[in-house]
């Protein structure tokens, strides 16, 4: 929209969160609260039209939304919502058009609702419009004193409301659209509250009315969209709503989610059609999953790219890795950052990969640790194989050539190269390069002592 400035208040600590971390840095739906609100603002205005008021842990809050082109204003002392908006006066520049105010602690609000608010203000010619809603329990919120025909005469804060005013269930959501010129003309009339010494932005409603202007309420039926987070109880509730929304969107787009109330899927996650998500899966960050995949019960995926037809069996943990098509993984596998599993490879139970490339069709079926390794296509890694990639000071690489067969319980001491098509005998400790197509045996030869066990038993019987 043209001539639109969006101000986001995010300077408060959020005392009721009982946290050392600023409130807007807490997460719901896999993103910090400030990221959600900035994303909505950017659907409404150009990046340089968005101003974020920061205060508590300003650097961390800035860092969270850096690179999106929004501007910041520092409010060094948090003297109230009115004071926070006054701090933006210079940054807001030309006093033209509309100014929308959003709160950093209200992440569920949709850009469409704000668009309707702006349209209502413009159409009515009011000095300001604000979103209200009716709550069964309005405790803690500012109450709207209405004057009929959608007019608001004043907002009374809970702390200073009379018992009769406390009974009003139409509350102030804290989201406003102002005629910017009138806002800046009158904002300095806000006086500190005699009791709390805070500058309440809500006082502007009465001030505008007194100056002969109209303030309108847009009564919004969906109170959940307006939920402001003040405590961890509300944080959990908002998180649940985000999860539910994403699950619903994915299900409507063709993803089967078993027991959706148990899974955790972050807002930015994508899942392709006909994929199945089993109960208690956690799919986090920027994970992308292709079509016809299965994510097993209790699995955790963070920032993973998964192609199509990949089967991830239960209780598998994968982070920062790439999985190509037709791969099978787990149950109980762990893929640590930097792993890349090529098409149709198989990673079985209790196998750990770290910073390892597993070639197409390669297999590691059971109980292995493969770290800092290049594993060629169609390699077979036997059960219990361990790459010794760390010498106590430095990490070293292991490379296993295409089609090699590594026998069970091999100890591969890196740096090490195992040639293509070679064999490593089970139980070997391999410390030297293995040439292509060779057999490496790195263990002592077995000796059998005939009759030894029988003789021992007889000795024991005689002495007892
Ligand atoms: C505010 C409204 C109340 C409304 C409620 C809706 C006022 C005085 N009250 O109350 O009418 O019903 O929101 O949720 O506006 N902030 C700053 N700087 C400050 C103070 C606050 O940036 O000096 C930020 C906070 O970080 C927060 C937002 O403003 O993101 C709202 O502040 P908060 O203290 O939560 O206001 P409420 O008491 O909830
Ligand atoms: Ca609040």
């Amino acid at each position: 929209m043209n001539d639109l400035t969006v101000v986001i208040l995010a300077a408060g600590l959020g005392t009721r969160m009982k946290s050392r971390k600023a409130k807007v840095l807490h997460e719901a739906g896999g993103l910090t609260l400030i990221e959600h609100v900035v994303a909505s603002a950017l659907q409404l205005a150009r990046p340089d039209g968005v101003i974020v008021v920061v205060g508590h842990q300003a650097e961390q809050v800035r860092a969270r939304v850096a690179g999106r082109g929004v501007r910041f204003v520092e409010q060094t002392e948090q003297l109230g919502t009115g004071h926070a908006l006054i701090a933006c006066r210079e940054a807001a520049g030309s006093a033209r058009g509309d100014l929308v105010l959003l709160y950093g602690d209200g992440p569920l609000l949709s850009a469409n609702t704000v668009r309707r608010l702006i349209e209502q203000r413009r159409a009515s010619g009011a000095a300001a419009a604000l979103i209200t809603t009716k709550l069964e329990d309005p405790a803690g919120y500012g109450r709207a004193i209405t004057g009929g025909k959608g007019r608001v005469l004043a907002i009374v804060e809970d702390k200073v409301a009379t018992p009769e005013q406390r009974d009003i269930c139409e509350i102030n959501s804290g989201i406003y659209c102002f005629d910017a010129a009138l806002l800046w003309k009158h904002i300095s009339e806000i006086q500190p509250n005699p009791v709390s010494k805070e500058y309440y932005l809500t006082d502007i409603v009465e001030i505008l009315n007194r100056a002969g202007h109209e303030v309108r309420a847009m009564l919004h039926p969906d109170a959940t969209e307006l939920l402001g987070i003040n405590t961890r109880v509300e944080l959990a509730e908002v998180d649940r709503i985000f999860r539910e929304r994403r699950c619903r969107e994915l299900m409507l787009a063709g993803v089967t989610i078993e027991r959706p109330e148990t899974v955790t899927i972050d807002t930015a996650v994508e899942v392709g059609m006909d994929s199945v998500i089993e109960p208690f899966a956690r799919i986090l960050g920027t994970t992308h999953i292709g079509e016809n995949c299965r994510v097993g019960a209790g699995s955790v995926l963070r920032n993973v790219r998964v192609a199509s037809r990949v089967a991830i069996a239960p209780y598998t943990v994968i982070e920062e890795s790439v999985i190509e098509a037709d791969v099978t993984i787990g149950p109980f596998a762990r893929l640590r950052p930097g792993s890349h599993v090529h098409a149709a490879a198989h990673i079985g139970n209790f196998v750990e990969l770290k910073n390892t490339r597993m070639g197409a069709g390669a297999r590691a079926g059971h109980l292995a640790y493969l770290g800092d390794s290049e594993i060629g296509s169609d390699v077979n890694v036997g059960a219990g194989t361990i790459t010794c990639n760390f010498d106590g000071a430095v990490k070293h690489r292991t490379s296993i050539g295409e089609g090699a067969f590594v026998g069970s319980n091999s100890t591969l001491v890196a740096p090490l190269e195992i040639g293509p098509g070679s064999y490593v005998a089970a139980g070997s400790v391999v410390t030297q390069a293995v040439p292509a197509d060779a057999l490496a045996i790195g263990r002592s030869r077995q000796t059998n002592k005939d009759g030894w066990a029988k003789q021992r038993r007889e000795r024991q019987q005689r002495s007892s």
Side-chain angles (χ1 to χ4, degrees):
M1 284 190 182
N2 289 332
D3 271 345
L4 175 64
T5 304
V6 180
V7 172
I8 301 170
L9 301 192
L13 171 64
T15 332
R16 289 165 282 180
M17 292 294 280
K18 304 270 164 67
S19 174
R20 289 180 221 294
K21 190 161 73 175
K23 178 158 68 177
V24 295
L25 292 174
H26 284 264
E27 287 185 14
L31 290 176
T32 56
L33 305 185
I34 190 64
E35 285 173 281
H36 283 291
V37 181
V38 166
S40 302
L42 288 175
Q43 287 181 49
L44 297 162
R46 295 203 321 260
D48 64 354
V50 177
I51 300 171
V52 184
V53 181
V54 291
H56 273 282
Q57 290 158 35
E59 279 319 303
Q60 287 98 308
V61 177
R62 274 171 199 254
R64 269 300 174 170
V65 289
R68 290 171 173 79
V70 303
R71 294 187 293 149
F72 299 93
V73 163
E74 197 133 351
Q75 185 197 17
T76 36
E77 240 187 317
Q78 282 72 54
L79 299 178
T81 47
H83 181 260
L85 188 53
I86 291 168
C88 295
R89 190 173 201 159
E90 215 172 294
S94 73
R96 292 211 336 233
D98 298 78
L99 186 142
V100 164
L101 185 76
L102 304 177
Y103 286 172
D105 63 359
L108 287 167
L109 182 71
S110 82
N112 266 336
T113 303
V114 182
R115 251 181 229 119
R116 280 186 22 236
L117 180 73
I118 298 167
E119 277 155 18
Q120 280 207 13
R121 192 204 71 74
R122 288 180 180 175
S124 66
L130 57 94
I131 303 179
T132 63
T133 194
K134 288 192 173 156
L135 292 183
E136 247 170 65
D137 177 15
Y141 286 94
R143 313 294 205 283
I145 312 292
T146 50
K149 298 209 179 92
R151 289 190 62 168
V152 193
L153 305 178
I155 301 289
V156 182
E157 286 307 291
D158 190 69
K159 288 171 242 174
V160 296
T162 64
E164 297 82 60
Q165 289 168 333
R166 285 217 175 92
D167 285 340
I168 298 171
C169 63
E170 185 169 351
I171 61 101
N172 170 29
S173 70
I175 298 134
Y176 314 75
C177 172
F178 292 102
D179 175 324
L182 289 173
L183 171 73
W184 297 125
K185 186 174 167 204
H186 291 284
I187 196 161
S188 47
E189 293 165 36
I190 296 177
Q191 297 296 315
N193 182 279
V195 184
S196 67
K197 307 280 182 264
E198 276 186 36
Y199 291 80
Y200 288 158
L201 177 63
T202 41
D203 287 354
I204 194 81
V205 175
E206 224 179 315
I207 292 169
L208 287 170
N209 271 286
R210 238 191 283 127
H213 299 290
E214 211 172 277
V215 178
R216 302 194 69 84
M218 180 173 110
L219 182 60
H220 194 59
D222 179 12
T224 50
E225 205 189 312
L226 306 173
L227 249 164
I229 293 168
N230 293 316
T231 68
R232 306 225 190 200
V233 176
E234 285 149 351
L235 183 70
E237 174 64 7
V238 168
D239 181 65
R240 189 188 60 74
I241 293 167
F242 273 120
R243 306 294 179 194
E244 229 172 68
R245 269 193 197 169
R246 191 72 194 117
C247 277
R248 216 184 130 73
E249 286 164 3
L250 289 172
M251 289 189 284
L252 290 171
V255 178
T256 294
I257 304 181
E258 298 171 1
R259 306 271 312 282
E261 71 280 13
T262 67
V263 310
T264 304
I265 300 181
D266 280 354
T267 314
V269 166
E270 298 288 349
V271 185
M273 202 162 55
D274 289 321
S275 284
V276 177
I277 313 294
E278 295 181 4
F280 295 100
R282 289 171 61 78
I283 309 179
L284 310 172
T286 54
T287 298
H288 274 54
I289 297 175
E291 297 188 0
N292 274 298
C293 292
R294 179 172 281 271
V295 178
S299 291
V300 182
L301 278 67
R302 186 190 298 278
N303 302 341
V304 185
R305 293 218 151 241
V306 181
S308 293
R309 300 177 303 279
V310 171
I312 299 168
Y315 306 105
T316 292
V317 178
I318 309 178
E319 284 180 285
E320 323 264 343
S321 292
V322 177
I323 316 293
E324 294 192 5
D326 302 298
V327 163
T328 53
I329 304 182
F332 302 102
R334 179 172 184 211
L335 275 65
R336 290 164 54 199
S339 297
H340 189 142
V341 182
H342 288 261
H346 169 66
I347 311 284
N349 42 218
F350 306 108
V351 172
E352 174 182 347
L353 258 57
K354 189 218 71 177
N355 191 22
T356 284
R357 195 181 70 81
M358 192 78 181
R363 305 177 66 78
H366 340 256
L367 300 155
Y369 170 58
L370 304 169
D372 302 311
S373 305
E374 283 282 320
I375 294 166
S377 51
D378 300 312
V379 164
N380 188 92
V381 177
T385 296
I386 302 290
T387 54
C388 308
N389 58 327
F390 187 49
D391 62 10
V394 191
K395 302 271 168 62
H396 299 284
R397 297 197 65 85
T398 300
S399 109
I400 306 179
E402 184 179 334
F405 182 97
V406 178
S408 294
N409 212 33
S410 293
T411 302
L412 310 178
V413 182
L416 183 65
E417 243 176 88
I418 295 176
S422 64
Y423 263 68
V424 172
S428 291
V429 176
V430 186
T431 56
Q432 294 162 32
V434 180
D437 300 315
L439 166 67
I441 310 175
R443 53 172 145 90
S444 57
R445 188 173 286 279
Q446 179 177 338
T447 52
N448 293 337
K449 299 188 175 175
D450 286 333
W452 182 93
K454 186 164 176 244
Q455 285 161 19
R456 181 172 184 267
R457 273 194 302 276
E458 287 165 357
R459 264 201 315 275
Q460 280 171 336
Q461 254 161 26
R462 274 199 304 275
S463 62
S464 65

